[in-house]
Amino acid sequence: MSEMGTVFALLGAALAVILAGIGSAYGVGIAGRAAAGVVTEDPSKFAKVLLLQLLPGTQGIYGLLVAFITLSNTGLLSGAPKEISLANGLMILAACLPIGIVGLVSAMHQGKTSVASIGIVAKKPEQFGKAMLFPAMVETYAILALLISILAVTAIKL
């Protein structure tokens, strides 16, 4: 039965990476398309729009961080896996879901918000600081989910 606990723990780590990564890929992708259009018209805005494009990528990093912590805590990263009960495996899966799900949704919305902010920079580059605030506000919820996943994963005693 301990194998099933390990399977669920691995599933949690995988979902943290996969879901948050999908959201980040989508968000960075749509923001990148908008940024490319701006740079085509005015190459001097490259650095500003690149920063806005990169913002939705953080959720994928957060998912990866939670997966590393999970794999480390379970001993799977070191090659010395711990005995993980079915209940603990399910708890680990549940602990990984906040960053997976919130990472997916927030990165997609952050990408859309970054597109709007890239539009601001295209027309009024001096408003870059204000434009950064809009996608940064979406980031808040990804950070909250990251904290909950880290606290929950590290609180499970194996």
Side-chain angles (χ1 to χ4, degrees):
M1 190 58 99
S2 67
E3 294 85 19
M4 287 305 297
T6 302
V7 167
F8 281 112
L10 278 172
L11 179 60
L15 285 174
V17 172
I18 291 167
L19 294 174
I22 288 170
S24 283
Y26 175 86
V28 169
I30 63 168
R33 287 193 298 271
V38 171
V39 171
T40 299
E41 295 295 320
D42 185 355
S44 71
K45 295 177 182 162
F46 174 75
K48 289 179 179 178
V49 297
L50 179 63
L51 286 172
L52 289 165
Q53 181 202 0
L54 294 175
L55 285 174
T58 56
Q59 285 86 334
I61 296 168
Y62 299 161
L64 185 63
L65 176 62
V66 168
F68 276 136
I69 292 169
T70 300
L71 295 175
S72 179
N73 285 356
T74 59
L76 293 167
L77 200 59
S78 66
K82 297 177 181 176
E83 288 286 324
I84 303 170
S85 68
L86 178 59
N88 280 347
L90 289 170
M91 285 192 292
I92 292 168
L93 169 61
C96 291
L97 288 178
I99 192 55
I101 295 169
V102 176
L104 170 69
V105 175
S106 68
M108 294 173 83
H109 286 287
Q110 192 172 36
K112 293 173 184 176
T113 308
S114 289
V115 168
S117 293
I118 288 167
I120 292 170
V121 170
K123 292 181 179 170
K124 297 186 179 212
E126 70 278 3
Q127 297 299 317
F128 173 71
K130 291 177 185 173
M132 281 286 288
L133 289 175
F134 299 121
M137 294 306 297
V138 181
E139 183 83 16
T140 303
Y141 298 95
I143 292 169
L144 295 174
L146 170 65
L147 291 174
I148 289 300
S149 284
I150 289 173
L151 291 171
V153 166
T154 57
I156 298 167
K157 303 295 177 217
L158 302 177

